[in-house]
Amino acid sequence: MIRTYKYRLRPNRAQTAALDSLFCQARRLYNAALEQRITAYQESGEGIRYPAQWVHFRDQRNKCPEEYGLLNASSVQQLLRRLDKAFAAFFRRVKAGETPGFPRYKGDHRFKSVEYRYGDGCKLREKDNGQKRFYLQHVGEIKLIFHRPIPERAVIKHVVVKRVNDKWYLCLMLELPDQEQKPQQKGSPIEIGPIGIDMGLRSLLATSEGELIDNPRWLRGSLSRLRVAQRRVSRRKQGSNRRRKAVRQVARLHEQIANQRHDYWHKLTRELAERHALIAIEDLNLKFLNTNRHLALSSHDAGLGMFTQMLAYKVEETGCRLVVVNPARTSQRCSRCGERVEKRLSVRVHDCPECGLVLDRDVNAARNVLASAFSSLGRSDQDLTWAAAPSVS
Ligand SMILES: [Zn+2]
């Protein structure tokens, strides 16, 4: 399995300047390659692909080191491949009858990363005192905050150097051998069987065990700070220095919130994957297909997709089982008697006239999600105890 480990880089002033020039050259090359594709097409009606571009820009790099001299072969290759992918995606979407945007020239703020093959002009080094440094050709040995060790037997494949709001990051793509996955300890005390999760509309998640999980208060605090900062931007005069300053503040808050959210979801998904033998969730693509679009966008932005993704790879590591079910009618059905209880989105409580079950609507939905998972696995509700038994792996 492939994993990305991200570290903060702390370049000194000279290294920062070198990184900036490196990014400048990379951006120039990317834009030149894009231009080459466009002109080739205009002149001959034929496209130009990666192999031809690589030959061209390899020679360009040797001929004019002042233009591209800071880049090495592998980073040039990665840039050209990135462009190749952008075009492939563009044509695929055209073919599918969509109206995609044409690959665009990148301005300074749109150009965020440069990639390398590990070992080619870049390497992690260890100093005598055990401290790690990231060596990058033409930049030097950069300090980094090595907050998590790289697992033994992991192979570093690719390296991405990133610039976000004037901060620098190192992303290492690692290949971990599959046997590194730890199967869940049988009968371990923390394991508490299967759980169903409803991605609620009000609270973030509801579980079949009755737990409602929301964004933590500090995250909500950051969100309201963001709103204040956004208002500040709109009050200030366009083109003014004060406005520019306020815009930077908004960008920093966005980044901070993204980090906080990421961190929170990582911990939440890890905990869920470690504690449960089986997790049932809804297929998000289906879930929001027919709901109110504005509602779906406002409360769910990118968050839930990220949640599913993170959960999917956490379960791979813990040996928990993830079952994705069709969300149809999970919110309307009674989780005890199966009666259909219609309710509008504004109604928070499931109140079954048939069997008298009164429950938070999202918790009721979460129980239905779990039941769907079991029926899709070919087990009835009576077998719930089977899966709850600690002997399940
Ligand atoms: Zn009922």
Side-chain angles (χ1 to χ4, degrees):
M1 53 186 174
I2 303 280
R3 291 286 173 269
T4 304
Y5 281 31
K6 187 175 175 186
Y7 301 93
R8 177 83 186 267
L9 288 172
R10 292 270 193 200
N12 60 29
R13 195 173 298 187
Q15 290 169 340
T16 306
L19 281 168
D20 278 328
S21 336
L22 173 77
F23 268 53
C24 192
Q25 293 197 355
R27 184 165 68 91
R28 196 184 299 146
L29 188 132
Y30 184 90
N31 287 338
L34 175 57
E35 194 183 350
Q36 192 192 33
R37 281 191 178 232
I38 294 170
T39 13
Y41 184 76
Q42 283 167 345
E43 282 170 3
S44 65
E46 273 177 44
I48 177 167
R49 297 298 303 268
Y50 168 80
Q53 287 208 302
W54 161 235
V55 171
H56 174 82
F57 282 100
R58 184 191 58 199
D59 297 346
Q60 271 317 86
R61 189 174 64 99
N62 295 336
K63 251 188 278 172
C64 21
E66 69 286 353
E67 292 241 346
Y68 304 124
L70 294 178
L71 301 166
N72 69 8
S74 85
S75 59
V76 173
Q77 286 168 348
Q78 298 298 340
L79 281 165
L80 295 174
R81 284 211 187 92
R82 200 194 297 176
L83 184 65
D84 211 46
K85 265 189 221 156
F87 270 92
F90 171 75
F91 287 124
R92 191 184 57 237
R93 293 189 60 192
V94 169
K95 228 178 182 174
E98 297 169 46
T99 47
F102 191 78
R104 58 162 111 201
Y105 290 106
K106 302 251 186 199
D108 198 35
H109 66 291
R110 277 194 187 276
F111 196 83
K112 291 176 181 154
S113 62
V114 175
E115 283 176 58
Y116 291 87
R117 205 169 42 236
Y118 185 73
D120 186 3
C122 62
K123 205 166 179 49
L124 273 184
R125 289 182 180 166
E126 195 167 317
K127 300 217 312 176
D128 292 338
N129 60 9
Q131 278 189 358
K132 295 274 196 218
R133 291 282 188 273
F134 175 62
Y135 167 77
L136 189 60
Q137 202 175 11
H138 304 301
V139 176
E141 286 192 350
I142 308 170
K143 268 194 196 172
L144 79 161
I145 301 173
F146 202 68
H147 68 285
R148 81 193 282 205
I150 292 166
E152 258 175 69
R153 297 168 62 209
V155 182
I156 308 176
K157 293 286 195 184
H158 276 98
V159 170
V160 180
V161 180
K162 269 191 162 173
R163 177 176 60 189
V164 183
N165 290 331
D166 295 324
K167 292 196 212 63
W168 297 90
Y169 296 93
L170 169 70
C171 297
L172 301 175
M173 317 296 197
L174 311 172
E175 171 133 14
L176 296 167
D178 284 347
Q179 54 267 43
E180 293 283 296
Q181 297 177 31
K182 277 179 246 110
Q184 196 157 353
Q185 292 277 304
K186 283 185 181 177
S188 76
I190 45 165
E191 185 187 315
I192 49 175
I195 192 170
I197 293 175
D198 176 71
M199 323 230 176
L201 294 170
R202 231 20 107 73
S203 59
L204 214 51
L205 307 171
T207 73
S208 53
E209 289 170 350
E211 204 181 350
L212 295 170
I213 302 169
D214 208 344
N215 274 324
R217 190 170 298 163
W218 43 260
L219 188 53
R220 278 177 278 157
S222 304
L223 287 169
S224 69
R225 273 210 303 287
L226 177 66
R227 275 193 293 278
V228 171
Q230 276 163 337
R231 274 204 294 276
R232 197 175 301 133
V233 171
S234 59
R235 274 203 307 269
R236 293 189 174 171
K237 217 170 104 196
Q238 286 213 329
S240 70
N241 267 329
R242 278 161 52 80
R243 187 185 172 104
R244 213 163 301 140
K245 238 181 176 171
V247 167
R248 264 212 303 278
Q249 171 78 19
V250 166
R252 269 199 300 273
L253 275 172
H254 266 300
E255 188 197 350
Q256 191 191 344
I257 288 168
N259 286 345
Q260 286 180 333
R261 189 181 270 156
H262 233 84
D263 190 52
Y264 175 67
W265 290 90
H266 267 305
K267 284 175 184 151
L268 184 64
T269 47
R270 163 144 322 265
E271 197 187 303
L272 285 167
E274 276 175 355
R275 277 168 59 197
H276 300 281
L278 183 151
I279 299 176
I281 57 170
E282 302 153 296
D283 188 332
L284 279 183
N285 294 328
L286 296 175
K287 172 145 183 162
F288 293 114
L289 204 61
N290 293 319
T291 48
N292 183 328
R293 196 164 169 228
H294 294 289
L295 186 78
L297 284 182
S298 66
S299 55
H300 292 96
D301 40 34
L304 291 181
M306 193 166 80
F307 172 79
T308 316
Q309 238 176 34
M310 284 184 181
L311 198 57
Y313 83 72
K314 296 276 160 42
V315 298
E316 221 181 289
E317 285 165 10
T318 58
C320 163
R321 183 160 186 188
L322 185 67
V323 184
V324 181
V325 305
N326 186 335
R329 287 188 297 281
T330 45
S331 62
Q332 309 295 343
R333 213 168 53 221
C334 173
S335 59
R336 189 195 282 164
C337 69
E339 180 74 12
R340 195 183 161 104
V341 185
E342 296 275 1
K343 44 191 164 299
R344 283 205 310 231
L345 278 173
S346 57
V347 179
R348 302 307 307 151
V349 178
H350 169 83
D351 187 352
C352 179
E354 191 68 25
C355 70
L357 177 69
V358 179
L359 203 59
D360 180 277
R361 70 171 286 150
D362 292 340
V363 174
N364 179 61
R367 290 189 180 177
N368 283 328
V369 168
L370 183 59
S372 296
F374 280 123
S375 68
S376 77
L377 292 175
R379 293 182 192 103
S380 68
D381 292 70
Q382 287 96 309
D383 291 330
L384 270 170
T385 44
W386 172 86
S391 62
V392 175
S393 62

